[in-house]
């Protein structure tokens, strides 16, 4: 056990605890809000109050009157259970978080939910709570800042120039994702990333020394970080350490702050009892006495508010940046306009025209290629007009086909547009969330579909925060063949389709692949998963009307011959089976359904025109888990797909073995129509 990292000796305070009214305002608000809600985590806010007071009052560059100022420093509370720390800071410094909002902590539809949530509370940069993902988001913020600065700053005019600060705790460091992203942060030399580790030695189960004995300092030094240890209750030491971290431009910095959880609670400080439960009314009275806090619950004096108020300083900082940007804009008007466009999230004016021209070209060429290759072709066509694209793959670029001709790695050129993430699926995806949240980029990240499982919770966070992140997944089914069941995705597509606010596309050919990319890039209210094949997929001929309907997520690809008796619904590689079955059947239409979610968003009239409710004989075919499709075919329909894990064999043999064949589709239709 490294006692220097996790010992519980009490730091020397200077000044005494009861003479720290500014930090104690955080402690009082945290105690009171958690007690009123009868739920929450008072320990971390009380333990980190001194660190927070130094950072937010003395160092952080932000403007409470304009939380979206583009050159603000970013702050991430990775240990998001301590959310009252962030809410107290936002309230005290002058953001639109009132004392009434604080009183509504953890209540329905309040601005102060249980964990910080992006979009609910002004000043909250990202949703945190799932431990480790906050620091991953922070690494993404730092990548975005460094890359955007390299692309736009000119001649000493640093229009992109800010730090990313992150608070994190023992839980964040125990989560494996912290290894993934902190290792990469050191490799990428993210000098403007500064993390404060709340080294209090306590988690929910008690003292962490029984299950967390890492030498954190050596761990981060081995990553290539600049590491400083300080007394987390010594304001002078915290400030000096932060300034030293700012001065280290070639390495990210970790400031290990030895703290006491729940500091100020005489009977519960330094113990797990202060971690995740209210202190209790009696203990709060004792804590008030310990802190020298004489005001009633939720009462902050005018003197303390005045000392905390950051609006005037923030306005001055933004005004200075505005003057720098004015000079920049006069010297580099095209660059300035491009930076504004990218930060607004707006695509280039000619994007629609060029994307449509490429889709039409795909339709004319009629190529039979793997949809992963169709994806690369789309990137190669659209990438040159989208400098905001910041791509990457988890060590599978040659298999995912994510590197197009214009890609350049940021590890070689800070102004590049591609990140080699290494084998870090979870870290990659959470970093992409941070990149998207920062602004100025549209990140796309890639791996095999089966390894989406490693990244699952970060994909969920993309959807929860409604971020424009494009998740590229190749090797989409048993069609990848001999690698066997460990690499053959079965249930992953259904899992992704079940994620609220996520659009999934599984295209059948080059045209559907191009349309899927176009809509993913245009979508600004959520992420998209693009599912591509390893094997070649035959091109499907379409009319002009059908070509337009692809964007609706589902459309009639092959009309029925004669009276409509049955409908075959398919996606991706199984469209070929459906079309072969269609050639053998009368009265059957084929519906291509590359995106179920987008199809469901269409009008009732359109959905009825594609899937007439009177036609009950329906067969769905997809080389994935069958359960999802009952919502479209009904309990009387048939679903041809996977009901087990796969096997190791050539793809053709596997399709035969699992009964995903043209004949199976024909037989299912004949059985239904009798």
């Amino acid at each position: 056990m490294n006692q220097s990292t996790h010992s519980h000796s009490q730091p020397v305070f200077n000044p005494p605890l009861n003479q720290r009214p500014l930090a104690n305002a955080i402690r009082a608000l945290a105690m009171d809000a958690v007690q009123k809600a009868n739920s929450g985590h008072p320990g971390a806010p009380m333990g980190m109050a001194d660190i927070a007071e130094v950072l937010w009052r003395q160092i952080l560059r932000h403007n409470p009157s304009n939380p979206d100022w583009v050159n603000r420093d970013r702050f991430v509370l990775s240990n998001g259970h301590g959310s009252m720390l962030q809410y107290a800071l936002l309230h005290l410094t002058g953001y639109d978080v009132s004392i009434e909002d604080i009183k509504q902590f953890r209540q329905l539809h309040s601005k102060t939910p249980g964990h910080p949530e992006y979009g609910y509370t002004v000043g909250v940069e990202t949703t945190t709570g799932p431990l480790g993902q906050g620091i991953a988001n922070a690494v993404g913020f730092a990548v975005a800042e460094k890359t955007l600065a390299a692309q736009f700053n000119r001649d000493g005019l640093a229009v992109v120039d800010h730090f990313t600060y992150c608070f994190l705790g023992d839980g964040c460091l125990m989560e494996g994702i912290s290894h993934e992203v902190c290792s990469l942060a050191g490799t990428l030399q993210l000098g403007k990333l500064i993390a404060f580790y709340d080294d209090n030695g306590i988690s929910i189960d008690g003292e962490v020394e029984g299950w967390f004995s890492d030498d954190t300092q050596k761990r981060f030094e081995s990553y290539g970080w600049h590491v400083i240890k300080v007394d987390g209750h010594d304001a002078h030491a915290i400030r000096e350490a932060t300034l030293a971290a700012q001065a280290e431009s070639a390495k990210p910095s970790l400031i290990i702050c030895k703290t006491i959880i729940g500091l100020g609670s005489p009977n519960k400080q330094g113990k797990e009892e202060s971690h995740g439960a209210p202190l209790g009314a009696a203990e709060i009275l004792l804590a008030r006495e310990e802190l020298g806090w004489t005001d009633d619950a939720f009462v902050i004096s005018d003197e303390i508010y005045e000392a905390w108020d950051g609006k005037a300083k923030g306005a001055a900082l933004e005004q200075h940046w505005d003057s720098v940007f004015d000079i920049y804009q006069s010297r580099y008007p095209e660059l300035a306009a491009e930076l504004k466009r990218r930060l607004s999230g707006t695509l280039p004016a000619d994007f629609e025209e060029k994307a449509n021209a490429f889709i039409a070209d795909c339709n004319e060429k009629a190529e039979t290629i793997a949809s992963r290759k169709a994806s690369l072709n789309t990137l190669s066509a659209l990438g040159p007009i989208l400098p905001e694209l910041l791509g990457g793959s988890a060590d599978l670029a040659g298999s995912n086909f994510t590197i197009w001709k214009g890609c350049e790695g940021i590890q070689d050129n800070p102004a590049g547009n591609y990140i080699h993430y290494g084998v870090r699926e979870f870290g990659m995806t959470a970093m992409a969330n941070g990149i998207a949240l920062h602004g100025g980029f549209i990140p796309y990240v890639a791996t095999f579909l089966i390894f989406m499982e490693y990244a699952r919770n970060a994909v969920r966070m993309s959807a929860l925060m409604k971020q424009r992140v494009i998740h590229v997944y190749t090797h989409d089914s048993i069609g990848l063949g001999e690698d066997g069941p460990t690499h053959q995705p079965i249930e992953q597509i259904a899992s992704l389709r079940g994620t609220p606010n996520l659009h999934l596309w599984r295209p059948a050919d080059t045209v559907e692949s191009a349309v899927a990319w176009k809509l993913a890039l245009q979508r600004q209210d959520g992420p998209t998963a693009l599912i591509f094949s390893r094997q070649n997929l035959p091109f499907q001929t379409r009319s002009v009307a059908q070509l337009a309907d692809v964007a609706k997520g589902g459309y009639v690809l092959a009309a029925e011959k004669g009276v409509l008796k049955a409908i075959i619904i398919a996606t991706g590689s199984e469209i070929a089976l459906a079309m072969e079955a269609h050639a053998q059947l009368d009265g059957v239409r084929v519906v291509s359904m590359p995106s179920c979610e987008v199809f469901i968003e269409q009008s009732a009239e359109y959905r009825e025109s594609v899937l007439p409710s009177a036609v009950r004989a329906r067969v769905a075919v997809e080389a994935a888990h069958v359960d999802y499709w009952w919502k479209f075919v009904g309990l009387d329909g048939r679903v041809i797909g996977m009901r087990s894990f796969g096997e190791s064999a050539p793809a053709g043999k596997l399709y035969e073995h699992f009964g995903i064949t043209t004949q199976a589709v024909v037989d299912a239709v004949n059985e239904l129509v009798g």
Side-chain angles (χ1 to χ4, degrees), residues 357-489:
F358 176 71
I359 292 167
D361 185 58
C362 289
N363 199 44
E364 184 176 335
K365 286 181 177 177
E367 292 180 292
T368 290
I369 57 177
S371 55
R372 62 172 177 161
K373 181 62 165 63
S375 170
L376 175 61
N377 291 347
T378 306
L379 279 170
S380 298
L382 301 182
I385 65 170
L386 292 173
E388 56 262 54
L389 277 183
L390 186 56
S393 170
D395 201 45
L396 289 169
S399 296
N400 298 144
F401 290 3
T402 48
I403 296 183
W404 51 282
K405 187 176 180 180
C407 283
E408 188 171 6
I410 64 170
Q411 76 279 6
D412 299 318
N413 176 10
N417 61 355
Y418 196 85
I419 302 172
H420 291 274
Y421 283 99
V423 187
R424 299 179 174 97
E425 294 88 358
F426 191 7
M428 169 185 73
T429 308
M431 282 177 59
N433 291 340
I435 291 168
L437 287 159
H438 179 278
F441 294 101
I442 302 174
Y444 66 91
V445 289
T447 186
F448 290 169
L449 177 56
I450 191 67
F451 300 134
M452 178 279 298
E453 296 290 357
Y454 284 127
R456 184 70 185 88
N457 199 262
V459 177
R460 183 177 189 269
M461 296 301 289
S462 298
L464 184 64
M465 293 189 285
K466 301 179 180 179
Q467 290 304 297
R468 180 162 51 179
V469 178
I470 301 174
H471 305 280
V472 177
Y473 299 121
T474 67
H475 297 60
D476 66 341
S477 70
I478 58 172
L480 69 90
E482 291 86 345
D483 278 337
T486 61
H487 283 54
Q488 292 166 5

Side-chain angles (χ1 to χ4, degrees), residues 496-512:
L496 289 167
R497 285 185 179 134
T499 303
N501 201 46
L502 176 74
H503 285 178
L504 181 146
W505 287 82
R506 187 171 182 247
D509 63 3
T510 56
V511 165
E512 288 189 0

Side-chain angles (χ1 to χ4, degrees), residues 87-107:
Y87 300 148
L89 290 165
L90 293 169
H91 170 68
L92 291 167
T93 53
Y95 286 79
D96 184 19
V97 179
S98 69
I99 198 67
E100 291 304 315
D101 294 325
I102 299 292
K103 290 178 181 179
Q104 292 301 306
F105 178 56
R106 289 188 163 226
Q107 304 309 300

Side-chain angles (χ1 to χ4, degrees), residues 230 457 584:
V230 299
N457 199 262
Q584 301 178 36

